[in-house]
Amino acid sequence: MLHQLSWKVGGQQGEGIESTGEMFSMAMNRLGYFLYGYRHFSSRIKGGHTNNKITVRPTEVRSIADDLDILVAFDQETIDVNYQELTEKGVILADAKFEPVKPEDSKAPLFVVPFTEIAAELGTTLMKNMVAIGATAALLNLDDEVFQNVVNDIFGKKGEEVVQKNMEAIARGREMMSELLGERVGEWALAPADGKRRMFMIGNDAIALGALAAGTRFMAAYPITPASEIMEYLIRKLPKFGGAVIQTEDEIAAATMAIGSNYGGVRAFTASAGPGLSLMMEAIGLSGMTEQPLVVVDTQRGGPSTGLPTKQEQSDLMAMLYGTHGEIPKVVIAPSTLEEAFFDTIQAFNIAEELQLPVILMTDLQLSLGKQTAEPFDYSKIEIRRGKIVTEELAESADKAYFKRYENTADGISPRVLPGTLNGIHHVTGVEHDETGKPSEATGNRQTQMDKRFRKLEALRFDQPVYTNAPHEEADILLVGFNSTRGAIEEVQERLNAQGMKVNHAHIRLIHPFPSAEMAPLVAKAKKVIVVENNYTGQLANIMKMNIGGHDKIKMITKYNGTPFLPGELEIKVKELAH
Amino acid sequence: MATFKDFRNTVKPNWCPGCGDFSVQAAIQRAAANVGIEPNNLAVISGIGCSGRISGYINSYGFHGIHGRALPIAQGLKMANRDLHVIASGGDGDGFAIGMGHTIHAIRRNIDITYVVMDNQIYGLTKGQTSPRSAAGFITKSTPGGAIEPSLKPLEVALTSGATFVAQGFSTDIKELTALIEAGLNHKGFSFINVFSPCVTYNKVNTYDWFKEHLTKLADIEGYDHTDRNLAMQTIMQHDSLVTGIIYQDTATTSYQEKVVGYSELPLMDIDIKMSEQEFTALVDEFM
Ligand SMILES: Cc1ncc(C[n+]2csc(CCOP(=O)(O)OP(=O)(O)O)c2C)c(N)n1
Ligand code: SF4
Ligand SMILES: [Mg+2]
């Protein structure tokens, strides 16, 4: 019995590869297994190799598996590109239609199943993926009933007959495969799972749900990979909550519209990726200068320019921190799990309103699009804090003096009155201004207002700015990362500790302002610090050096070829650097 | 009820004496009072330029943003608070150069706000460079040999972009301009008002006298019907856009907000945002 199964389906884009993976995952999810799914795709709609790799375990799974047990191929390219990942026990299931050829040096046996032909016999070749699911079921010894619920959910709307046909396709696939396997049926069966129901979602789902739970009622955004799912979710859900989404003409409009809406008192936000973030820079500065709350989600992908639009990278970090001209206080948060993505989104809205500044929530393609299981989020932990919004009636002021919207308070946070409020009139401008918002270039005022704006950061409250797993008082190595590298690092830490090394792990969740108080002692306790990141220049490593020093011990492992870190390769690299 | 005096504040504009923008400011103040708006229910969102300073000179909520982005800020604000009256305003460079994309899409989108452009055919604040509204041959600091590009035709662009309200005024004629802004404020949808607002410092060609000589009032054109889009297009082409009055209005239009499915009748800012446990559980269940 296996304790981990790694399954991959591949073919040409637009051929239902995604839905095959989806169907298999949903069934496994409902049995209570933990899953981690990662899609390889390119920016075209039809054609081009795509695959969906799904790692399944009865216990928590944190990262993509190093290797592969089952490869389901709908074309020869899938075999050629992926067979080397197969383990010794690995198998290839391939559609007879393309007359698959086993690569000469492949140790994995090739089973040829007429996926398309069986589907055609049942009425439509569209069902070839169901036949493939059935074949998989034979390897894993799964009952057809396991799929009944999922098939009902997906095809129920199309009527009983369609459900029946799809179930038949699964049964036929299984029968055919069982015959080919003979005694080997069920040899890839997984240890049983606990049967508990868990969510199965991508990071963007968690962010979108978080935004809704945080009370967003308006989103302005422009489509881009890998951010669009956030907008699409809110387009589906916001009408039920009275809100709206506008697909704008560009990201400049998206960010400034969100600012206008926040100015009006609504929790509004936008989401994009690197190219859009670049366009938003001036608006982010406007939010900082005018102290209007703004939440921007940046789902990092391969840059620069159009770069690798559908591939993993973590190279926008410096741009998020320093991309805007001039100096403003801002907060940058980097969740690394689904749960963090959900709650950090809520935090982003709270902080933006409490401190009246821009908050950038950063993710990366692997976290945004990787599909994982998670325990349902805890409703009781959802907290909404709106800061100093003025809700009481205001008295009429003498001689039309404007409301002190930028009052120089002790904590730097000024009362925020919303347009429409009687006697609350004030001016807002991106030009340096006095306490009522009137433009002022006076040197004293400039200094006061700059100090006031930056003082707000001292009031920042953020639980667990760094996720740490640091069992060693004196460590050989401290592994550091942010966003989606968390799973691979955790896995490597576990392996190396089991091999007798002393490895600690810190995953930075609050990137800016940098959590020096939490990070400095961890760095001090380690002989070497290895920062793991998906970029070329080692942006996080540089940020760490800038904030807490440690130049002599901070090393980095970078990867910028568009693919996520796998635990195996990371383990080797860490060991190399350790000696 | 507020009078136009209630829309005055104590700030002294830093415009040059004689700048056309003074009258535009006065017309906005009068129009707001005439249609019965209270100062706290008006927000003026402006861009960057000499003209962009206008939001600081009117006693109302005001937001002076970044160059070319008054419209998206104004639209976001209106989406947040549908009860608020929102006026966006700025210069010809602001709206027809750097912000042209937003202008066209705001026109198409038809959110219920009013956009007043102070068109002086020049960049005032940056001290006299050519604008998309400058005529071919116009000599400025940035076009010492005369502008090569032809001038942009905002009225034609608006009409072809699906505008539901297009008007043009001249800052000297405060009475007509006030009436145009009033009509814009009363229009259910996006109202676009281009105003010839001479720059006395950098534009020595398109002066007050020049406009007086060249402008025709649509009211004086016999049979002009501003609900006839074809006639509107024909007329502005015949007059090289040098007309004032309401050029076109689609009176049957409904604004963007009326069309958004599910959009709250109550201003969004007034909705209780905390989700119930039941609502939350239902959303979570969809992922299980
Ligand atoms: C992004 C950006 N680019 C350039 C500028 C400089 N700038 C300020 S106002 C302006 C043009 C002003 O012309 P117009 O919009 O016609 O306003 P006017 O001063 O004529 O009223 C320019 C180019 C800026 N503020 N921001
Ligand atoms: S430079 Fe021109 S546009 Fe600017 S204030 Fe002076 S007259 Fe008006
Ligand atoms: Mg101008």
Short mmCIF file of all heavy atoms in Angstrom, two decimals, chain A residues 199-200 205 237 242 246 249 252 256-257 260-261 264 266 379 382 400 402 420-422 424-425 427-431 438, chain B residues 5 8-9 40 55 58 60-64 69 72 76-77 102 105 109 256 262 264 268-269 274-275 277 286-287:
data_model
loop_
_atom_site.label_atom_id
_atom_site.label_comp_id
_atom_site.label_asym_id
_atom_site.label_seq_id
_atom_site.Cartn_x
_atom_site.Cartn_y
_atom_site.Cartn_z
N MET A 199 -11.84 21.38 2.26
CA MET A 199 -11.95 22.24 1.08
C MET A 199 -10.85 21.83 0.10
O MET A 199 -9.80 21.34 0.49
CB MET A 199 -11.73 23.70 1.45
CG MET A 199 -12.77 24.25 2.40
SD MET A 199 -12.52 26.01 2.64
CE MET A 199 -10.89 26.03 3.32
N PHE A 200 -11.15 22.06 -1.16
CA PHE A 200 -10.14 21.81 -2.20
C PHE A 200 -10.19 23.04 -3.10
O PHE A 200 -11.18 23.28 -3.78
CB PHE A 200 -10.49 20.53 -2.95
CG PHE A 200 -9.51 20.15 -4.01
CD1 PHE A 200 -8.14 20.13 -3.74
CD2 PHE A 200 -9.93 19.80 -5.29
CE1 PHE A 200 -7.22 19.77 -4.72
CE2 PHE A 200 -9.02 19.44 -6.27
CZ PHE A 200 -7.66 19.43 -5.99
N ASP A 205 -8.76 31.31 -4.93
CA ASP A 205 -10.07 31.13 -4.30
C ASP A 205 -10.02 31.62 -2.86
O ASP A 205 -10.95 32.29 -2.38
CB ASP A 205 -10.47 29.65 -4.29
CG ASP A 205 -10.76 29.09 -5.67
OD1 ASP A 205 -11.23 29.85 -6.53
OD2 ASP A 205 -10.54 27.88 -5.87
N LYS A 237 -19.95 36.27 -7.11
CA LYS A 237 -20.50 36.36 -5.75
C LYS A 237 -20.96 37.76 -5.32
O LYS A 237 -21.88 37.88 -4.52
CB LYS A 237 -19.46 35.86 -4.73
CG LYS A 237 -19.08 34.41 -4.90
CD LYS A 237 -20.27 33.49 -4.72
CE LYS A 237 -19.88 32.05 -5.02
NZ LYS A 237 -21.05 31.19 -5.18
N GLY A 242 -24.77 42.73 -2.88
CA GLY A 242 -25.06 44.12 -3.25
C GLY A 242 -23.93 44.83 -3.96
O GLY A 242 -24.08 45.98 -4.37
N ILE A 246 -15.99 45.98 -11.66
CA ILE A 246 -15.84 46.60 -12.97
C ILE A 246 -14.56 46.09 -13.61
O ILE A 246 -13.48 46.17 -13.00
CB ILE A 246 -15.81 48.15 -12.89
CG1 ILE A 246 -17.21 48.67 -12.49
CG2 ILE A 246 -15.39 48.76 -14.25
CD1 ILE A 246 -17.34 50.18 -12.51
N GLU A 249 -10.46 49.49 -18.14
CA GLU A 249 -9.72 49.61 -19.39
C GLU A 249 -8.23 49.30 -19.20
O GLU A 249 -7.53 48.98 -20.16
CB GLU A 249 -9.89 51.01 -20.00
CG GLU A 249 -9.59 52.19 -19.08
CD GLU A 249 -10.79 52.61 -18.23
OE1 GLU A 249 -11.69 51.78 -18.02
OE2 GLU A 249 -10.82 53.77 -17.78
N ILE A 252 -4.25 50.97 -14.42
CA ILE A 252 -4.19 52.30 -13.81
C ILE A 252 -5.61 52.68 -13.37
O ILE A 252 -5.84 53.15 -12.25
CB ILE A 252 -3.63 53.34 -14.80
CG1 ILE A 252 -2.21 52.96 -15.22
CG2 ILE A 252 -3.67 54.73 -14.18
CD1 ILE A 252 -1.61 53.88 -16.28
N THR A 256 -6.88 53.23 -9.46
CA THR A 256 -7.42 54.53 -9.07
C THR A 256 -8.92 54.43 -8.78
O THR A 256 -9.43 55.13 -7.90
CB THR A 256 -7.13 55.60 -10.15
OG1 THR A 256 -7.43 55.08 -11.44
CG2 THR A 256 -5.68 56.04 -10.11
N MET A 257 -9.62 53.56 -9.47
CA MET A 257 -11.04 53.35 -9.16
C MET A 257 -11.19 52.78 -7.76
O MET A 257 -12.07 53.19 -6.99
CB MET A 257 -11.65 52.39 -10.17
CG MET A 257 -12.90 52.90 -10.83
SD MET A 257 -13.56 51.66 -11.94
CE MET A 257 -13.52 52.57 -13.47
N GLY A 260 -10.76 55.56 -5.39
CA GLY A 260 -11.96 56.39 -5.32
C GLY A 260 -13.04 55.75 -4.46
O GLY A 260 -13.73 56.41 -3.67
N SER A 261 -13.16 54.45 -4.60
CA SER A 261 -14.18 53.73 -3.85
C SER A 261 -13.84 53.66 -2.36
O SER A 261 -14.71 53.81 -1.50
CB SER A 261 -14.31 52.34 -4.45
OG SER A 261 -15.48 51.73 -4.02
N GLY A 264 -14.65 56.78 -0.80
CA GLY A 264 -16.09 56.82 -0.53
C GLY A 264 -16.52 55.94 0.64
O GLY A 264 -17.69 55.93 1.00
N VAL A 266 -15.90 52.47 0.96
CA VAL A 266 -16.15 51.06 0.64
C VAL A 266 -14.83 50.31 0.59
O VAL A 266 -13.84 50.82 0.07
CB VAL A 266 -16.88 50.95 -0.71
CG1 VAL A 266 -16.90 49.52 -1.22
CG2 VAL A 266 -18.30 51.48 -0.58
N TYR A 379 -14.76 30.52 10.92
CA TYR A 379 -15.54 31.77 10.87
C TYR A 379 -15.28 32.65 12.08
O TYR A 379 -15.20 33.88 11.96
CB TYR A 379 -17.04 31.43 10.78
CG TYR A 379 -17.94 32.64 10.83
CD1 TYR A 379 -18.15 33.43 9.70
CD2 TYR A 379 -18.59 33.01 12.02
CE1 TYR A 379 -18.96 34.55 9.73
CE2 TYR A 379 -19.42 34.13 12.07
CZ TYR A 379 -19.60 34.89 10.92
OH TYR A 379 -20.41 36.00 10.96
N ILE A 382 -12.69 35.43 11.95
CA ILE A 382 -12.80 36.57 11.03
C ILE A 382 -13.08 37.82 11.84
O ILE A 382 -14.05 37.90 12.57
CB ILE A 382 -13.94 36.35 9.99
CG1 ILE A 382 -13.65 35.11 9.16
CG2 ILE A 382 -14.10 37.59 9.10
CD1 ILE A 382 -14.80 34.71 8.26
N LYS A 400 -16.24 78.27 8.11
CA LYS A 400 -16.00 77.27 7.06
C LYS A 400 -14.62 76.62 7.09
O LYS A 400 -14.08 76.24 6.04
CB LYS A 400 -16.20 77.90 5.68
CG LYS A 400 -17.66 78.00 5.30
CD LYS A 400 -17.73 78.31 3.83
CE LYS A 400 -19.16 78.63 3.42
NZ LYS A 400 -19.24 79.28 2.14
N TYR A 402 -12.01 73.89 7.12
CA TYR A 402 -12.12 72.51 6.67
C TYR A 402 -11.83 71.55 7.83
O TYR A 402 -11.12 71.86 8.78
CB TYR A 402 -11.11 72.25 5.54
CG TYR A 402 -11.65 72.56 4.15
CD1 TYR A 402 -12.77 73.38 3.97
CD2 TYR A 402 -11.02 72.02 3.02
CE1 TYR A 402 -13.24 73.64 2.69
CE2 TYR A 402 -11.50 72.28 1.75
CZ TYR A 402 -12.61 73.09 1.58
OH TYR A 402 -13.07 73.34 0.32
N GLY A 420 -19.91 63.10 1.89
CA GLY A 420 -21.33 63.01 2.19
C GLY A 420 -21.64 63.43 3.61
O GLY A 420 -22.74 63.88 3.92
N THR A 421 -20.63 63.33 4.47
CA THR A 421 -20.84 63.66 5.88
C THR A 421 -21.01 65.16 6.06
O THR A 421 -20.22 65.96 5.53
CB THR A 421 -19.61 63.21 6.71
OG1 THR A 421 -19.32 61.86 6.38
CG2 THR A 421 -19.87 63.35 8.20
N LEU A 422 -22.04 65.56 6.81
CA LEU A 422 -22.29 66.97 7.07
C LEU A 422 -21.15 67.53 7.92
O LEU A 422 -20.74 66.91 8.90
CB LEU A 422 -23.64 67.11 7.79
CG LEU A 422 -24.20 68.52 7.91
CD1 LEU A 422 -24.45 69.14 6.54
CD2 LEU A 422 -25.48 68.50 8.74
N GLY A 424 -18.09 67.72 7.34
CA GLY A 424 -16.82 66.99 7.28
C GLY A 424 -15.95 67.40 6.10
O GLY A 424 -14.92 66.77 5.82
N ILE A 425 -16.38 68.43 5.39
CA ILE A 425 -15.68 68.80 4.15
C ILE A 425 -14.19 69.07 4.40
O ILE A 425 -13.82 69.73 5.36
CB ILE A 425 -16.37 70.01 3.49
CG1 ILE A 425 -17.71 69.54 2.88
CG2 ILE A 425 -15.49 70.63 2.41
CD1 ILE A 425 -18.52 70.63 2.22
N HIS A 427 -10.16 68.70 1.94
CA HIS A 427 -9.60 68.48 0.62
C HIS A 427 -8.65 67.30 0.68
O HIS A 427 -8.04 67.02 1.70
CB HIS A 427 -8.86 69.76 0.16
CG HIS A 427 -8.50 69.75 -1.29
ND1 HIS A 427 -7.23 70.02 -1.74
CD2 HIS A 427 -9.23 69.49 -2.38
CE1 HIS A 427 -7.22 69.94 -3.07
NE2 HIS A 427 -8.41 69.63 -3.47
N VAL A 428 -8.55 66.62 -0.44
CA VAL A 428 -7.62 65.49 -0.56
C VAL A 428 -6.74 65.79 -1.76
O VAL A 428 -7.25 66.13 -2.83
CB VAL A 428 -8.39 64.17 -0.81
CG1 VAL A 428 -7.41 63.03 -1.05
CG2 VAL A 428 -9.31 63.85 0.35
N THR A 429 -5.46 65.68 -1.60
CA THR A 429 -4.58 65.92 -2.75
C THR A 429 -3.28 65.14 -2.63
O THR A 429 -2.77 64.91 -1.53
CB THR A 429 -4.27 67.42 -2.93
OG1 THR A 429 -3.30 67.55 -3.98
CG2 THR A 429 -3.72 68.06 -1.68
N GLY A 430 -2.77 64.75 -3.76
CA GLY A 430 -1.47 64.09 -3.81
C GLY A 430 -0.32 65.08 -3.72
O GLY A 430 0.85 64.70 -3.63
N VAL A 431 -0.68 66.36 -3.71
CA VAL A 431 0.33 67.40 -3.46
C VAL A 431 0.54 67.43 -1.95
O VAL A 431 -0.38 67.15 -1.19
CB VAL A 431 -0.22 68.77 -3.94
CG1 VAL A 431 0.70 69.91 -3.54
CG2 VAL A 431 -0.43 68.76 -5.46
N LYS A 438 -5.19 71.08 2.43
CA LYS A 438 -4.87 72.14 1.47
C LYS A 438 -3.40 72.06 1.09
O LYS A 438 -2.55 71.83 1.95
CB LYS A 438 -5.18 73.51 2.08
CG LYS A 438 -6.68 73.74 2.12
CD LYS A 438 -7.04 75.10 2.69
CE LYS A 438 -8.55 75.17 2.83
NZ LYS A 438 -8.98 75.95 3.97
N LYS B 5 -23.12 80.79 -2.97
CA LYS B 5 -22.13 81.30 -2.02
C LYS B 5 -21.66 80.20 -1.05
O LYS B 5 -20.53 80.22 -0.56
CB LYS B 5 -22.70 82.46 -1.21
CG LYS B 5 -22.82 83.73 -2.04
CD LYS B 5 -23.22 84.91 -1.17
CE LYS B 5 -23.40 86.13 -2.04
NZ LYS B 5 -24.55 86.93 -1.63
N ARG B 8 -18.51 78.45 -1.91
CA ARG B 8 -17.24 79.17 -1.92
C ARG B 8 -16.46 78.80 -0.67
O ARG B 8 -17.02 78.68 0.41
CB ARG B 8 -17.49 80.68 -1.88
CG ARG B 8 -17.96 81.22 -3.21
CD ARG B 8 -17.99 82.73 -3.11
NE ARG B 8 -18.59 83.29 -4.31
CZ ARG B 8 -19.21 84.46 -4.33
NH1 ARG B 8 -19.31 85.19 -3.22
NH2 ARG B 8 -19.72 84.91 -5.45
N ASN B 9 -15.15 78.66 -0.81
CA ASN B 9 -14.34 78.48 0.39
C ASN B 9 -13.37 79.65 0.49
O ASN B 9 -13.48 80.63 -0.27
CB ASN B 9 -13.64 77.12 0.39
CG ASN B 9 -12.60 76.97 -0.70
OD1 ASN B 9 -12.18 77.95 -1.31
ND2 ASN B 9 -12.19 75.74 -0.95
N ASN B 40 -22.03 69.29 1.19
CA ASN B 40 -21.49 68.01 1.68
C ASN B 40 -21.93 66.82 0.82
O ASN B 40 -21.43 65.72 0.99
CB ASN B 40 -21.86 67.78 3.14
CG ASN B 40 -23.35 67.67 3.35
OD1 ASN B 40 -24.08 68.65 3.18
ND2 ASN B 40 -23.81 66.48 3.68
N SER B 55 -10.66 71.54 -7.66
CA SER B 55 -11.32 70.84 -6.54
C SER B 55 -10.97 71.48 -5.20
O SER B 55 -11.69 71.30 -4.23
CB SER B 55 -10.92 69.36 -6.54
OG SER B 55 -9.52 69.24 -6.43
N ILE B 58 -13.51 74.88 -4.39
CA ILE B 58 -14.97 74.78 -4.23
C ILE B 58 -15.25 74.19 -2.85
O ILE B 58 -14.60 73.22 -2.44
CB ILE B 58 -15.56 73.87 -5.34
CG1 ILE B 58 -15.35 74.54 -6.71
CG2 ILE B 58 -17.03 73.57 -5.09
CD1 ILE B 58 -15.75 73.68 -7.90
N SER B 60 -16.72 71.90 -1.16
CA SER B 60 -17.39 70.60 -1.29
C SER B 60 -16.30 69.59 -1.00
O SER B 60 -15.15 69.97 -0.80
CB SER B 60 -17.90 70.41 -2.72
OG SER B 60 -16.81 70.21 -3.60
N TYR B 61 -16.65 68.31 -0.97
CA TYR B 61 -15.59 67.32 -0.89
C TYR B 61 -14.78 67.41 -2.17
O TYR B 61 -15.35 67.60 -3.26
CB TYR B 61 -16.18 65.92 -0.69
CG TYR B 61 -16.62 65.73 0.75
CD1 TYR B 61 -17.92 66.05 1.15
CD2 TYR B 61 -15.71 65.31 1.71
CE1 TYR B 61 -18.30 65.92 2.48
CE2 TYR B 61 -16.08 65.18 3.05
CZ TYR B 61 -17.37 65.48 3.43
OH TYR B 61 -17.74 65.38 4.74
N GLY B 62 -13.48 67.31 -2.06
CA GLY B 62 -12.64 67.48 -3.24
C GLY B 62 -11.45 66.54 -3.21
O GLY B 62 -10.88 66.28 -2.15
N PHE B 63 -11.12 66.02 -4.37
CA PHE B 63 -10.00 65.07 -4.47
C PHE B 63 -9.17 65.45 -5.70
O PHE B 63 -9.65 65.39 -6.83
CB PHE B 63 -10.55 63.65 -4.61
CG PHE B 63 -9.52 62.55 -4.39
CD1 PHE B 63 -9.74 61.57 -3.43
CD2 PHE B 63 -8.36 62.48 -5.15
CE1 PHE B 63 -8.81 60.54 -3.23
CE2 PHE B 63 -7.44 61.47 -4.95
CZ PHE B 63 -7.67 60.50 -3.99
N HIS B 64 -7.96 65.88 -5.45
CA HIS B 64 -7.03 66.29 -6.49
C HIS B 64 -6.05 65.13 -6.62
O HIS B 64 -5.23 64.90 -5.74
CB HIS B 64 -6.35 67.58 -5.97
CG HIS B 64 -5.29 68.17 -6.84
ND1 HIS B 64 -4.06 68.51 -6.33
CD2 HIS B 64 -5.29 68.54 -8.13
CE1 HIS B 64 -3.33 69.07 -7.30
NE2 HIS B 64 -4.05 69.09 -8.39
N ARG B 69 -6.13 60.88 -14.21
CA ARG B 69 -6.90 59.80 -13.56
C ARG B 69 -8.11 60.28 -12.78
O ARG B 69 -8.62 59.55 -11.92
CB ARG B 69 -6.00 58.96 -12.64
CG ARG B 69 -4.60 58.68 -13.17
CD ARG B 69 -4.59 57.87 -14.45
NE ARG B 69 -3.23 57.86 -15.02
CZ ARG B 69 -2.97 57.56 -16.28
NH1 ARG B 69 -3.93 57.26 -17.13
NH2 ARG B 69 -1.74 57.58 -16.73
N PRO B 72 -11.33 57.68 -13.37
CA PRO B 72 -11.50 56.44 -12.60
C PRO B 72 -11.72 56.70 -11.11
O PRO B 72 -12.51 55.98 -10.48
CB PRO B 72 -10.22 55.66 -12.86
CG PRO B 72 -9.34 56.50 -13.69
CD PRO B 72 -10.13 57.66 -14.21
N GLY B 76 -15.05 55.33 -9.26
CA GLY B 76 -14.96 54.47 -8.07
C GLY B 76 -15.75 55.06 -6.92
O GLY B 76 -16.45 54.36 -6.18
N LEU B 77 -15.64 56.38 -6.76
CA LEU B 77 -16.37 57.05 -5.68
C LEU B 77 -17.88 56.93 -5.88
O LEU B 77 -18.62 56.63 -4.95
CB LEU B 77 -15.95 58.52 -5.62
CG LEU B 77 -16.73 59.39 -4.63
CD1 LEU B 77 -16.60 58.87 -3.20
CD2 LEU B 77 -16.24 60.84 -4.70
N HIS B 102 -9.21 56.58 -20.34
CA HIS B 102 -10.27 56.61 -19.32
C HIS B 102 -11.48 57.40 -19.83
O HIS B 102 -12.61 57.07 -19.53
CB HIS B 102 -9.76 57.25 -18.04
CG HIS B 102 -8.52 56.61 -17.51
ND1 HIS B 102 -8.39 55.25 -17.36
CD2 HIS B 102 -7.34 57.14 -17.10
CE1 HIS B 102 -7.19 54.98 -16.89
NE2 HIS B 102 -6.52 56.11 -16.72
N HIS B 105 -13.58 55.29 -22.15
CA HIS B 105 -14.26 54.18 -21.46
C HIS B 105 -15.26 54.67 -20.43
O HIS B 105 -16.27 54.01 -20.19
CB HIS B 105 -13.23 53.22 -20.88
CG HIS B 105 -12.49 52.49 -21.96
ND1 HIS B 105 -13.08 51.46 -22.67
CD2 HIS B 105 -11.27 52.69 -22.51
CE1 HIS B 105 -12.23 51.04 -23.59
NE2 HIS B 105 -11.13 51.77 -23.51
N ARG B 109 -19.03 53.61 -20.50
CA ARG B 109 -19.55 52.93 -19.31
C ARG B 109 -20.82 53.61 -18.80
O ARG B 109 -21.72 52.96 -18.31
CB ARG B 109 -18.44 52.95 -18.24
CG ARG B 109 -18.63 51.93 -17.16
CD ARG B 109 -17.38 51.87 -16.29
NE ARG B 109 -16.30 51.12 -16.91
CZ ARG B 109 -15.04 51.57 -17.05
NH1 ARG B 109 -14.69 52.75 -16.59
NH2 ARG B 109 -14.13 50.82 -17.64
N TYR B 256 -25.15 53.14 -16.03
CA TYR B 256 -24.45 51.86 -15.76
C TYR B 256 -25.00 51.23 -14.49
O TYR B 256 -25.28 50.04 -14.44
CB TYR B 256 -22.96 52.17 -15.61
CG TYR B 256 -22.08 50.98 -15.31
CD1 TYR B 256 -21.53 50.23 -16.34
CD2 TYR B 256 -21.78 50.62 -14.00
CE1 TYR B 256 -20.71 49.15 -16.08
CE2 TYR B 256 -20.96 49.53 -13.72
CZ TYR B 256 -20.43 48.80 -14.76
OH TYR B 256 -19.61 47.73 -14.49
N GLY B 262 -27.79 43.06 -9.24
CA GLY B 262 -27.51 42.86 -7.82
C GLY B 262 -26.97 44.09 -7.10
O GLY B 262 -26.84 44.08 -5.88
N SER B 264 -26.53 47.22 -5.06
CA SER B 264 -27.37 47.69 -3.95
C SER B 264 -28.05 49.03 -4.22
O SER B 264 -27.44 49.95 -4.75
CB SER B 264 -26.49 47.78 -2.71
OG SER B 264 -27.10 48.56 -1.73
N LEU B 268 -23.23 51.63 -1.29
CA LEU B 268 -22.40 50.50 -0.82
C LEU B 268 -21.75 50.79 0.52
O LEU B 268 -21.58 49.92 1.35
CB LEU B 268 -21.29 50.19 -1.84
CG LEU B 268 -21.71 49.63 -3.19
CD1 LEU B 268 -20.46 49.22 -3.97
CD2 LEU B 268 -22.63 48.44 -3.00
N MET B 269 -21.38 52.06 0.71
CA MET B 269 -20.70 52.43 1.95
C MET B 269 -21.58 52.24 3.18
O MET B 269 -21.08 52.17 4.29
CB MET B 269 -20.24 53.89 1.88
CG MET B 269 -21.41 54.82 1.60
SD MET B 269 -21.01 56.57 1.71
CE MET B 269 -20.70 56.76 3.44
N LYS B 274 -20.20 42.75 7.55
CA LYS B 274 -19.86 41.46 8.18
C LYS B 274 -20.81 40.38 7.67
O LYS B 274 -22.02 40.50 7.75
CB LYS B 274 -19.94 41.61 9.71
CG LYS B 274 -19.58 40.35 10.50
CD LYS B 274 -18.08 40.13 10.64
CE LYS B 274 -17.74 38.69 10.98
NZ LYS B 274 -17.24 38.44 12.30
N MET B 275 -20.21 39.33 7.18
CA MET B 275 -20.99 38.22 6.63
C MET B 275 -21.50 37.35 7.77
O MET B 275 -20.82 37.18 8.77
CB MET B 275 -20.00 37.43 5.77
CG MET B 275 -20.55 36.40 4.90
SD MET B 275 -19.18 35.58 4.05
CE MET B 275 -18.86 36.66 2.70
N GLU B 277 -22.54 33.80 9.68
CA GLU B 277 -21.89 32.49 9.69
C GLU B 277 -22.52 31.56 8.65
O GLU B 277 -21.84 30.80 7.97
CB GLU B 277 -21.96 31.86 11.08
CG GLU B 277 -21.23 30.53 11.13
CD GLU B 277 -20.79 30.12 12.53
OE1 GLU B 277 -21.27 30.76 13.49
OE2 GLU B 277 -20.00 29.18 12.64
N GLU B 286 -19.06 25.22 -0.94
CA GLU B 286 -18.89 25.09 -2.39
C GLU B 286 -17.52 24.53 -2.77
O GLU B 286 -17.32 24.07 -3.87
CB GLU B 286 -19.07 26.46 -3.07
CG GLU B 286 -20.50 26.95 -3.02
CD GLU B 286 -20.66 28.34 -3.62
OE1 GLU B 286 -19.68 28.85 -4.23
OE2 GLU B 286 -21.74 28.92 -3.46
N PHE B 287 -16.58 24.61 -1.85
CA PHE B 287 -15.23 24.09 -2.13
C PHE B 287 -15.03 22.68 -1.60
O PHE B 287 -13.94 22.15 -1.63
CB PHE B 287 -14.16 25.03 -1.55
CG PHE B 287 -14.12 26.36 -2.23
CD1 PHE B 287 -14.65 27.49 -1.62
CD2 PHE B 287 -13.56 26.49 -3.49
CE1 PHE B 287 -14.62 28.72 -2.25
CE2 PHE B 287 -13.52 27.71 -4.14
CZ PHE B 287 -14.05 28.83 -3.52
#
